[in-house]
Amino acid sequence: MSYGDGESRSQIMATYAWLGVARGEKVTVYADPRLDEREMRHAVHARGPSMAPALGRGQVEFSTMRALLSPDREFTVRRQQSRLAEETERALHQGYTGFRAFIDMAWVADLNADVAVVVHRETHADHLFADGHYSEICAYDRRWFARDVLDRMAEAHPCRLLDRLGLLSITTADDTLLVVGEADVSGRARFTGGVRAALARTDRSALLTVDLSRLHFLSLGCATDLLALAAVSGPRMSVACTPLVARTLRRLGSDALPQLALIEVSRQC
């Protein structure tokens, strides 16, 4: 993820930490070294139930990249990755289902690390996630990192998060409309307008794919609008979505629309 202010970072960090707690994972926040632990604790407390139980049993911890690399004083890819692997093994040994890390990339400036080396690390870390026991969010401050670095990181990571909770992102590529985030009542006009515009751009003999697989919420109003647009004579429509969204669309009558096909897929993020 990339962020432009502390509020955005805190929203994602707190949600990510709470998801880890709910799934029985060990969570460590490798925070911006300019912030103290009290600020991090407050950011989490302000967005949900008290973290006291999880903190008390050591399930949630706050640390820094310096502490992770210690006693080494300089960053190396090998040292960081080996330590993260060790932390994952330690979490499993302690009885947790996995280990997740929120890494604020402000540590790059703090350790005066070579950005090129960091880019190499970010594009050569697949082995850390091979067994499914480790996950991480790398948070980049857009006010510090160059645009080309942010673009390379966005391409390198398998998933790029939106800046804040509750946002709706709509992008088009060829005959595919990708919808990410939450299509709730506040985003209904944007959602419906995006689908309508995509249909208008698509040749009547072609197939428009509406990819909802990365949508985390679809309101009844948005679902109804989607089917209403599909019912109008025009391009055929294929909707890729999670089983939950598919059930919603079927209950609203999607099976009665011969020009619309549902493809159930697992959520990617």
Side-chain angles (χ1 to χ4, degrees):
M1 68 164 291
S2 63
Y3 63 89
D5 57 68
E7 176 63 20
S8 298
R9 173 186 56 200
S10 295
Q11 276 192 4
I12 304 301
M13 178 194 72
T15 303
Y16 184 64
W18 270 110
L19 282 172
V21 171
R23 294 174 179 176
E25 298 173 342
K26 176 73 174 291
V27 182
T28 298
V29 175
Y30 297 98
D32 183 335
R34 297 167 296 185
L35 304 178
D36 61 31
E37 186 173 326
R38 289 176 298 176
E39 292 180 86
M40 294 291 95
R41 287 174 179 263
H42 175 73
V44 174
H45 276 294
R47 289 166 176 79
S50 173
M51 287 287 276
L55 288 166
R57 59 178 175 265
Q59 185 176 3
V60 177
E61 296 180 341
F62 297 92
S63 186
T64 64
M65 189 56 59
R66 283 185 180 274
L68 178 71
L69 299 177
S70 180
D72 291 11
R73 295 184 178 182
E74 296 183 358
F75 165 77
T76 63
V77 174
R78 183 175 181 178
R79 174 61 176 168
Q80 187 205 56
Q81 293 186 348
S82 66
R83 287 289 295 114
L84 290 172
E86 289 171 6
E87 289 299 305
T88 301
E89 287 300 316
R90 185 164 73 96
L92 295 173
H93 182 73
Q94 293 172 336
Y96 295 107
T97 59
F99 176 60
R100 62 172 53 198
F102 182 93
I103 303 176
D104 193 305
M105 301 301 288
W107 68 263
V108 175
D110 180 58
L111 294 177
N112 196 30
D114 187 331
V115 173
V117 175
V118 175
V119 170
H120 178 80
R121 182 275 183 195
E122 297 288 78
T123 55
H124 294 77
D126 290 354
H127 63 283
L128 290 175
F129 313 98
D131 60 10
H133 291 139
Y134 175 66
S135 62
E136 72 179 29
I137 287 180
C138 303
Y140 289 81
D141 190 336
R142 292 194 298 269
R143 297 165 295 186
W144 190 84
F145 285 95
R147 180 73 259 175
D148 66 315
V149 173
L150 294 173
D151 289 342
R152 291 176 67 185
M153 291 301 94
E155 294 175 359
H157 287 72
C159 185
R160 180 175 60 180
L161 302 182
L162 300 179
D163 284 16
R164 295 175 181 267
L165 303 179
L167 293 183
L168 178 65
S169 171
I170 301 178
T171 56
T172 57
D174 298 325
D175 292 330
T176 298
L177 183 74
L178 176 62
V179 185
V180 180
E182 299 183 18
D184 57 15
V185 63
S186 65
R188 181 175 180 177
R190 188 156 184 263
F191 174 84
T192 304
V195 176
R196 182 182 292 110
L199 283 168
R201 289 191 299 267
T202 304
D203 188 273
R204 294 176 65 86
S205 62
L207 172 69
L208 172 65
T209 298
V210 179
D211 188 347
L212 305 181
S213 62
R214 296 188 182 185
L215 199 64
H216 286 259
F217 179 78
L218 178 68
S219 71
L220 182 61
C222 290
T224 301
D225 289 349
L226 176 66
L227 297 184
L229 289 169
V232 178
S233 59
R236 292 173 297 118
M237 183 186 297
S238 173
V239 178
C241 57
T242 62
L244 177 61
V245 170
R247 286 198 298 272
T248 299
L249 294 174
R250 288 194 176 101
R251 288 177 180 176
L252 291 173
S254 65
D255 289 343
L257 302 176
Q259 66 273 44
L260 184 145
L262 299 182
I263 302 175
E264 296 187 25
V265 298
S266 297
R267 178 173 289 154
Q268 299 181 41
C269 291

